[in-house]
Amino acid sequence: MGLKDIHNLDYAVLLCERLDETRRFYADVMGFPVEHESETWICFRTGATLLTLRPRGPGPAWEDGPAVAGSASVQLAFRVPPSAIDACHAELVAAGAEILRGPTDLPAWNHRTIFFRDPEGNLLEIYAEI
């Protein structure tokens, strides 16, 4: 068994400087259910994957280093049915999310997309295959 036997991404961890605000964004705006929560570790269930938030900084076995101002740390993409794109956009706008690009067709990718940011500045995409 080795690296070629990896077949899943079980969880992704976002390093946060605004943990409470980012938690509210993923729970209230995105509507993701909280699966586990402690003072420094919040897990949201997103299908088969956990999206986890934790404070940026030193931990028991790591040092995160500083965030780069004005730069996204990660891009997360969430797939929805094509009929949901416009409704998702309307919900994001109503919630005050920072929209970078509203619903846009990307024919080369066969996608219809929305790009926006979370409170940590991460780049988020909701897309549908068209």
Side-chain angles (χ1 to χ4, degrees), residues 14-31:
L14 298 182
L15 309 178
C16 299
E17 294 178 348
R18 296 158 37 178
L19 186 64
D20 291 337
E21 184 178 352
T22 304
R23 183 217 180 278
R24 285 191 303 274
F25 176 83
Y26 284 101
D28 299 342
V29 175
M30 298 298 290

Side-chain angles (χ1 to χ4, degrees), residues 9-94:
L9 174 63
D10 293 319
Y11 66 94
V13 179
L14 298 182
L15 309 178
C16 299
E17 294 178 348
R18 296 158 37 178
L19 186 64
D20 291 337
E21 184 178 352
T22 304
R23 183 217 180 278
R24 285 191 303 274
F25 176 83
Y26 284 101
D28 299 342
V29 175
M30 298 298 290
F32 295 161
V34 174
E35 182 155 301
H36 169 79
E37 184 168 6
S38 71
E39 186 177 316
T40 60
W41 193 261
I42 305 159
C43 296
F44 297 95
R45 175 60 60 188
T46 55
T49 304
L50 291 175
L51 177 61
T52 302
L53 311 177
R54 72 164 175 83
R56 177 179 286 281
W62 63 81
E63 170 56 59
D64 298 327
V68 177
S71 176
S73 296
V74 68
Q75 177 178 337
L76 299 175
F78 304 97
R79 186 173 55 193
V80 298
S83 61
I85 288 288
D86 291 330
C88 289
H89 180 253
E91 289 179 42
L92 291 167
V93 168

